[in-house]
Amino acid sequence: MSAHPADLETARRIAAGDEEAAAGFFRELSGEMFGYARKMLGDPSAAEDALQEAMLGALRSIGRYDGRVSLRSWAFGVLRHKITDAHRKRGRDFVFSSDDPEAERFQADGHWNKDVTFQPWDENAELMEIVRRCMEDLPHNQREALVLRALEGLSTREAAGLLELSEDNLRQVLHRARASVRRCADQKAGDAA
Amino acid sequence: MSSRILLSCRESYQVLSDYLDGELGAVDRLWLRGHLMMCGKCRTYFEQFRRVHQLAGRPQPEDLPADFEEVMAEVLRRWKDHDSQFLKKPADPWDEER
Ligand SMILES: [Zn+2]
């Protein structure tokens, strides 16, 4: 029994050539798929290409959708592969990291090191822009996890499935990614003040 | 962790993401809040981490292709063309065009 009967019905209609259903599918998902591609690839025109290829790939192969995950998760899975291809074509290296950015900053007893201090950020700092720039420096897997997790309504379980990680693993990647962004933002917010 | 009365700064740090994602149990949430009440460094850290949690990866207004309708029309046209050629023979989404 499918966990997503409505999605399965949509997929069946599209597979049968229903243009209205295909357009609806495109409209519903293309905004967040483009946003995801843009954050992963940087360049809007590369993101648009990836979106096109992913949507086309998804529409053409939608007959294989089996309703085990939501249609949205499934479509993001297709997009994720297109983005990997686009990275390879541009000769980009995939940097993966699982280091804890704060690991060295604690004493043996678990307190912060004596020389570690935190100053509250300037209220007026352009924090959204700072965070966006800091995310560009993240390793591929950490950025991907953060962007997927920020999609409304996508559970940790769905995101982990998409990223082919265990839920525990994803939670760790997310934590380290956020800790890295905080540290980077702390420097940039400090520079701005 | 729940058997201890006090969390260390490191332990507090380690559960921040789970806390903000709503994936920390009730008892651990209390321990964390207790530590944050007593520890100024962790409180400032938490506040910054919370902002990052809120903002990182969040959809932006520029997250829409400028020529959205054209992109859609192009995709649908190519899909229809393909469809009439290869009806009933779904391609593999990962492998096509390789
Ligand atoms: Zn502390």
Side-chain angles (χ1 to χ4, degrees):
Chain A
M1 197 50 214
S2 161
H4 302 272
D7 284 356
L8 205 53
E9 177 54 28
T10 303
R12 282 202 187 114
R13 285 175 57 197
I14 296 172
D18 183 334
E19 277 180 67
E20 212 174 295
F25 172 75
F26 191 100
R27 277 185 203 286
E28 191 179 324
L29 292 175
S30 58
E32 58 184 20
M33 284 172 74
F34 179 77
Y36 173 79
R38 192 168 177 277
K39 290 189 180 79
M40 293 311 295
L41 293 166
D43 162 24
S45 85
E48 197 171 300
D49 289 349
L51 171 69
Q52 263 189 5
E53 290 309 310
M55 275 296 186
L56 198 57
L59 288 172
R60 283 174 179 172
S61 58
I62 208 158
R64 291 187 175 194
Y65 170 73
D66 61 9
R68 272 184 303 145
V69 298
S70 69
L71 198 50
R72 182 181 181 214
S73 279
W74 181 82
F76 265 91
V78 178
L79 177 61
R80 196 172 163 247
H81 281 80
K82 297 295 178 192
I83 287 173
T84 306
D85 288 350
H87 264 288
R88 293 227 172 85
K89 274 183 199 147
R90 296 155 100 202
R92 293 273 180 89
D93 281 336
F94 285 95
V95 182
F96 290 89
S97 169
S98 58
D99 291 346
D100 183 339
E102 308 290 7
E104 307 294 315
R105 298 175 107 195
F106 294 100
Q107 303 175 48
D109 67 2
H111 282 96
W112 292 103
N113 286 336
K114 294 234 159 27
D115 62 346
V116 172
T117 58
F118 303 109
Q119 300 304 321
W121 287 337
D122 181 354
E123 297 271 326
N124 301 317
E126 293 284 346
L127 212 52
M128 186 65 229
E129 179 57 20
I130 289 173
V131 166
R132 198 188 59 72
R133 274 190 285 137
C134 287
M135 280 186 66
E136 286 173 5
D137 299 335
L138 284 180
H140 185 86
N141 59 327
Q142 293 190 351
R143 186 151 32 113
E144 189 174 42
L146 277 183
V147 178
L148 272 182
R149 196 61 184 78
L151 292 176
E152 201 175 329
L154 199 71
S155 66
T156 306
R157 202 171 128 255
E158 271 182 299
L162 249 170
L163 296 169
E164 298 161 274
L165 294 173
S166 71
E167 285 181 53
D168 279 352
N169 235 313
L170 172 60
R171 284 162 48 198
Q172 189 186 69
V173 171
L174 282 171
H175 182 63
R176 292 176 175 184
R178 288 168 181 149
S180 294
V181 171
R182 191 219 63 88
R183 200 163 171 173
C184 161
D186 198 25
Q187 275 166 355
K188 291 196 199 296
D191 292 347
Chain B
M1 177 171 117
S2 311
S3 62
R4 303 215 358 221
I5 295 183
L6 296 175
L7 290 189
S8 69
C9 296
R10 186 198 277 119
E11 286 167 320
S12 303
Y13 158 73
Q14 282 165 343
V15 299
L16 290 185
S17 252
D18 286 348
Y19 177 76
L20 291 166
D21 283 335
E23 289 177 13
L24 201 60
V27 179
D28 290 341
R29 283 203 300 271
L30 282 179
W31 294 138
L32 175 64
R33 287 188 196 134
H35 182 86
L36 293 180
M37 264 183 347
M38 293 183 309
C39 178
K41 269 190 196 183
C42 284
R43 210 155 50 231
T44 307
Y45 189 95
F46 171 77
E47 193 43 43
Q48 297 175 346
F49 199 95
R50 194 182 63 79
R51 296 289 281 141
V52 168
H53 177 271
Q54 217 170 44
L55 297 175
R58 197 170 75 175
Q60 296 292 290
E62 70 268 23
D63 285 352
L64 256 190
D67 44 2
F68 179 84
E69 294 295 328
E70 272 170 56
V71 174
M72 181 167 95
E74 165 78 4
V75 167
L76 293 179
R77 189 189 55 73
R78 284 170 66 193
W79 167 64
K80 284 304 279 185
D81 287 355
H82 178 277
D83 224 32
S84 51
Q85 279 176 300
F86 304 101
L87 209 60
K88 311 273 178 220
K89 189 170 163 274
D92 188 309
W94 329 130
D95 292 342
E96 59 111 9
E97 287 173 16
R98 280 224 182 120

